[in-house]
């Protein structure tokens, strides 16, 4: 497509030659002569203009920093949103049903909706309910009495276990496990004895669970993940957690059981949350933070243990000054 056609697709404007033909979209490191690349600050824009790219997509404030760019610019309100739109146009299509591979094992009591795609070695348990247009890729498992909504996607070897429930357009990436037993044990006669985990997991619409992430079933009741929440790879959600709507958890976050998280909360990678606490809505938790107690709505937290981010920054400055303070006190003592 020409740059002008791409601009029309993302409601952008072109500075320079709008007839340039774009062959692909690539980061600065991977550009070829026909590539459209992107830049969200002046440093990246200058690097992009010096690259082999045919054109650069950027935002008005960044574009204004360059008086006479050497390449055409596609100027958009949000480069990230425009990039999502353009990449979606190039994404490979989903498999289309109805299709059922001969090696799939489907219990005769399961209900399979229209236009469902069932790949090789898929297992669907007794009384499971699979919504229309859902795709089950190779080796994925849907347990007994489980329910998947419309247009869901289970990637290879994803597991959705007994009695769990998912809304529409839910995606489980490869190796994700939803509904494994929660970590519940009690010491009986000097040994750990398992407490039966008889609850389930309930996922709202448009939830995505990353590769090899785990969401444990509740001991009783339900572990819940709210509509639109996105969970990265290698995340652990403990039993009976209640996660709100439109949250985002980066890789290796761990949340202990019975913790509640509000809506629109974002948690950075490798953060850990204690069990039986409440984290409010629109909270931001920095990567590596250890959260041991309740967090109010709107807070920004960091540190080990967690504290308000500005307080943590002051704490880090004081820590850096300890060596100078130690030497000063030692000198005074010698005097």
């Amino acid at each position: 497509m020409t740059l002008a056609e791409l601009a029309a697709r993302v409601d952008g404007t072109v500075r320079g030659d709008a007839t340039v033909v774009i062959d692909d979209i690539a980061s600065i490191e991977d550009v070829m002569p026909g590539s459209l690349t992107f830049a969200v600050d002046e440093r990246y824009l200058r690097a992009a203009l010096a690259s082999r790219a045919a054109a650069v997509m950027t935002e008005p404030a960044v574009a204004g920093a360059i008086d006479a760019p050497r390449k055409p610019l596609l100027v958009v309100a949000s480069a990230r949103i425009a990039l999502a739109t353009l990449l979606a146009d190039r994404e490979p299509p989903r498999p289309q049903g109805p299709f059922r591979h001969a090696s799939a094992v489907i219990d005769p009591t399961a209900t399979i909706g229209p236009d469902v795609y069932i790949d090789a070695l898929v297992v669907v348990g007794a009384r499971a309910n699979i919504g229309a247009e859902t795709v089950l890729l190779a080796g994925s498992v849907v347990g007994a009495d489980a329910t998947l909504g419309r247009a869901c996607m289970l990637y290879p070897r994803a597991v959705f276990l007994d009695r769990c429930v998912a809304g529409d357009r839910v995606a489980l990436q490869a190796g994700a496990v939803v509904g494994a037993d929660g970590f519940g044990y009690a010491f009986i006669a000097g040994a750990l004895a398992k407490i039966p985990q008889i609850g389930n997991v309930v996922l709202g619409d448009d939830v995505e669970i990353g590769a090899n992430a785990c969401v444990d079933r509740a001991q009783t009741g339900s572990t819940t993940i709210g509509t639109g929440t996105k969970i990265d790879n290698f995340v652990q959600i403990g039993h009976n957690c209640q996660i709100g709507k439109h949250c985002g958890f980066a890789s290796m976050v761990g949340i202990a059981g019975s913790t509640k998280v509000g809506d629109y909360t974002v948690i950075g990678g490798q953060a850990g949350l204690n069990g039986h606490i409440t984290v409010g809505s629109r909270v931001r938790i920095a990567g590596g933070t250890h959260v041991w107690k309740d967090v109010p709505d709107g807070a920004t937290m960091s540190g080990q243990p967690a504290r308000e981010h500005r307080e943590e920054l002051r704490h880090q400055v004081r820590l850096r000054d300890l060596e100078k303070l130690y030497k000063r006190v030692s000198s005074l003592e010698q005097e």
Side-chain angles (χ1 to χ4, degrees):
M1 300 178 72
T2 66
L3 197 57
E5 290 171 323
L6 291 178
R9 180 75 181 87
V10 295
D11 296 323
T13 58
V14 177
R15 286 179 56 186
D17 184 2
T19 66
V20 168
V21 175
I22 301 299
D23 297 325
D24 71 344
I25 301 168
S27 64
I28 294 174
E29 295 80 9
D30 301 322
V31 293
M32 300 296 288
S35 299
L36 173 69
T37 192
F38 44 92
V40 295
D41 60 34
E42 184 178 346
R43 180 171 63 91
Y44 273 96
L45 178 57
R46 293 188 183 279
L49 292 173
S51 73
R52 295 188 294 171
V56 183
M57 181 166 66
T58 191
E59 298 170 3
V62 182
I66 304 295
D67 293 329
R70 294 179 289 172
K71 299 180 186 293
L73 300 182
L74 171 53
V75 183
V76 295
S78 168
R80 192 169 182 82
I81 293 174
L83 181 64
T85 300
L86 295 179
L87 292 180
D89 291 343
R90 302 174 66 86
E91 187 176 23
R94 288 163 56 102
Q96 298 293 313
F99 173 77
R100 183 179 300 185
H101 195 277
S103 65
V105 179
I106 301 171
D107 191 279
T109 63
T111 300
I112 308 299
D115 300 321
V116 170
Y117 183 98
I118 301 177
D119 208 347
L121 302 176
V122 167
V123 176
V124 178
R127 300 170 302 280
N129 194 321
I130 311 297
E133 301 175 11
T134 285
V135 175
L136 307 178
L137 293 179
S140 58
V141 176
V142 179
D145 299 297
T147 298
L148 288 171
R150 186 183 186 93
C152 294
M153 185 87 161
L154 267 59
Y155 287 83
R157 297 181 180 272
V159 177
F160 191 73
L161 289 169
D162 298 358
R163 304 184 306 282
C164 293
V165 178
D168 298 336
R169 300 172 302 279
V170 167
L172 305 186
Q173 295 289 340
V177 178
V178 172
D181 282 354
F183 192 70
Y185 297 88
F187 274 104
I188 299 176
L192 282 171
K194 187 177 180 65
I195 300 172
Q197 307 290 296
I198 64 171
N200 72 343
V201 176
V202 178
L203 307 179
D205 295 343
D206 300 299
V207 168
E208 181 162 351
I209 309 294
N212 296 309
C214 299
V215 181
D216 288 349
R217 71 173 57 250
Q219 182 171 290
T220 60
S222 298
T223 303
T224 61
I225 310 290
T227 293
T229 286
K230 313 299 183 186
I231 294 174
D232 197 3
N233 306 336
F234 295 107
V235 169
Q236 163 67 23
I237 308 294
H239 61 180
N240 290 92
C241 284
Q242 312 290 307
I243 308 300
K245 300 181 294 184
H246 304 291
C247 295
F249 301 164
S251 180
M252 301 179 72
V253 164
I255 302 181
S258 299
T259 287
K260 296 180 180 179
V261 178
D263 302 333
Y264 297 96
T265 287
V266 178
I267 304 179
Q270 296 187 321
L273 276 63
N274 195 17
H276 299 272
I277 64 172
T278 297
V279 175
S281 294
R282 301 184 186 277
V283 170
R284 301 177 67 185
I285 297 175
T289 299
H290 295 173
V291 182
W292 301 115
K293 58 184 181 180
D294 292 354
V295 178
D297 291 349
T300 299
M301 309 294 289
S302 61
Q304 300 175 2
R307 66 186 87 199
E308 199 279 329
H309 183 56
R310 290 184 180 276
E311 182 184 349
E312 172 64 14
L313 292 178
R314 289 193 292 268
H315 175 68
Q316 293 298 327
V317 170
R318 288 193 292 267
L319 284 178
R320 287 198 296 270
D321 288 341
L322 278 179
E323 181 66 20
K324 291 188 293 185
L325 180 61
Y326 172 80
K327 291 179 179 179
R328 183 177 177 184
V329 170
S330 296
S331 175
L332 291 171
E333 286 177 340
Q334 290 172 3
E335 291 178 6

